[in-house]
Structures are given as C-alpha cells and as structure tokens.
Amino acid sequence: MTDPLAKTPLRNLPELWAAHLPRPARDAHKYRRGHVLVFSGGPLNTGAARLSAKGAARAGAGAVTVGSSRNALAANAAHLTSTMLAEIDDVGSLRTFLEERLPAAVVIGPAFGVGGKCRAFVETILTSPVGARSATAVLDADALTSFKDEADALFGLIVRSEWQVVLTPHEGEFRRLFGDKAEGLKADRACQATRRSGAIVVYKGPDTTIAAPDGRIAVNENGSPWLATAGSGDVLAGIIAGLSGQGMPAFEAACAAAWIHAEAGTRFGPGLIADDLPDMLPAILRELL
C-alpha cells in the first residue's frame, strides 16, 4: 500500500544536508557549539552511553555530559576524560540539571533499562520548557521499548512538547512501538509512524529511512554490513544529538548522521566494532565541510 500523503523519497546523499552542517564561528565557545546530555544505564550497563557520548563529541558537540545514577558513577568516571559526568538519580535531579544546564540535545535509551524510571525520565525531558533555544531529544533503544504498551502516551508527550524529538528504532523496536498499524513498504511505514508519533523517525536497517511529520523522507543507500555489530546504533544516536545540538535542523541532522555513520562503517570495513566508529568521523566531516 502506498501512502498518499508521503512525498517522493529522496536519496540520502550529502547534497541533501551538507549545507546545514554546523560550522563553528570564530568566537565560538564550548557551550555555543552544543551541550549534549547522554543518560547511562546501571553499573553493569554503562558502555552504551559512553559510545553515544563519544559519537556526539566527534560529531562536533562542544560539551558532552553523561548523566549517571550514583551506583554507576565510578564505572563511568573510570572511562571518561573529555566527557563530563553528572549524578542524575531521579526526576528531581534530572529536572534540576535541565533547568540549570540547558542542554541543547539529549540521548536517552541506550542500555538505560526498560521500565517506569525510563518512562518518567522521558516525560520529564519532554515536558521541560525549552524557551527561545532549540533542543532535541533522541529516544533510542530502551526509551522506545519502555513505551511498547503505552505508545499513545509517548506520542501525546511528543506532540505537546517544545522539544524536537527523534525516534531511532530498528525493526524490532519499530514493531514494538507501532505494532501492525503501520503497513506497506518501509517508506510508507516510516511516514505513517512519523505522522502518528509527531517525531522524526529514523527507521534503521540496511536501507535506513528517515521521515519527518511534514512528509519529507530520505532513504539511505550507503548502508554497510560492517555496522551489524553491538553498539553501532548507540553511536548513531549520539551523532544525531551532536549535530542537532549544534543547531542543525533535526531532519537534516538525522539524515547526515545516518549517511556519515554508514560511511564510517564502510571505510573501516572488516573487524569494525562500535568503539571504532566515532574516531572515523573527523576525516569524513573534514571532507564534507
């Protein structure tokens, strides 16, 4: 079934978004280049957040903070250097951080843990005021699965929120969140999902498809099989946040991140693990800027 409201899919190539890539001004300081907050899981599940954080930093974010529960602080501190660390244990400390530090983008979901705490954190983020600034929330992995039985509640939060929201489901997460209500070709399912949720949807896979509520849709054609490795999606979420946190429009940031992420996988090739991906970004960005 073809979605009659979807625009013609575009090929996701640099020509689509390269003009929007962030270029720091001569007088830029770290917070003007975007402060990204990434949420960590518990003490045995901290690596995914650090992958996202490094992806955001290598994408150009001027400051990146990992928000960690108290019992995971030591594990994160042992591995972080240029990335900052903050204790965020509950919605109270989260609300305080958002009000005082005003992050330009957040990533929540990678190995965070599925359940009520994740839902409460997402709700706190999406109901926090943004004001005159632009802010983007990237919901990935556990943040999507946590709403599998409460999808309409999440979509209601998104529609009412001042935040730009990007959802990054793989096939399983897409089905958990949208069920069988989205049907047809992948592009059509992505368009139905973005209109139903009110968010930009990055429907991951070999042909990652990025859809916006206004009908724009782009299909990635440079997918790499080397990206089929644990943690690569966490890096992608971080790249999206890193680019959008610098002021890049969320749809273009999602498209750019998907292409750059795949390009990094192709260039590294055999033996790639997710840890390698962020370090591939500077060379690719230098060619694009």
Side-chain angles (χ1 to χ4, degrees), residues 28-234:
H29 56 73
K30 61 187 177 184
Y31 291 112
R32 191 176 295 171
R33 291 189 63 193
H35 181 193
V36 176
L37 171 63
V38 181
F39 292 92
S40 172
L44 299 180
N45 297 284
T46 60
R50 292 195 299 275
L51 286 170
S52 289
K54 192 171 184 182
R58 287 299 193 191
V64 182
T65 297
V66 169
S68 171
S69 58
R70 178 173 298 180
N71 63 358
L73 285 172
N76 279 309
H79 293 89
L80 296 175
T81 49
S82 59
T83 296
M84 297 180 286
L85 183 61
E87 182 180 337
I88 302 178
D89 251 323
D90 52 30
V91 294
S93 54
L94 169 57
R95 190 173 292 112
T96 297
F97 187 98
L98 294 173
E99 291 173 353
E100 294 181 353
R101 302 294 296 278
L102 302 174
V106 302
V107 177
I108 183 166
F112 184 85
V114 174
K117 180 179 179 179
C118 191
R119 290 193 297 273
F121 270 43
V122 170
E123 180 175 2
T124 301
I125 294 163
L126 296 187
T127 57
S128 67
V130 168
R133 79 188 200 280
S134 173
T136 301
V138 181
L139 310 187
D140 185 40
D142 291 350
L144 304 176
T145 301
S146 289
F147 284 92
K148 65 183 178 66
D149 297 318
E150 301 182 42
D152 288 335
L154 173 61
F155 303 155
L157 286 169
I158 292 170
V159 169
R160 295 188 298 272
S161 182
E162 297 178 12
W163 291 70
Q164 300 180 100
V165 180
V166 181
L167 308 180
T168 58
H170 57 52
E171 185 66 39
E173 291 159 350
F174 186 93
R175 294 191 178 280
R176 283 195 286 274
L177 197 59
F178 296 102
D180 57 2
K181 293 183 180 180
E183 55 185 23
L185 300 174
K186 185 170 183 175
D188 296 321
R189 297 198 304 273
C191 285
Q192 293 166 47
T194 192
R195 284 202 306 276
R196 183 177 170 212
S197 65
I200 291 164
V201 174
V202 180
Y203 191 173
K204 296 185 293 193
D207 55 347
T208 292
T209 301
I210 306 99
D214 63 7
R216 286 180 296 167
I217 184 166
V219 179
N220 225 46
E221 296 182 346
N222 68 333
S224 168
W226 309 114
L227 292 175
T229 184
S232 67
D234 305 326

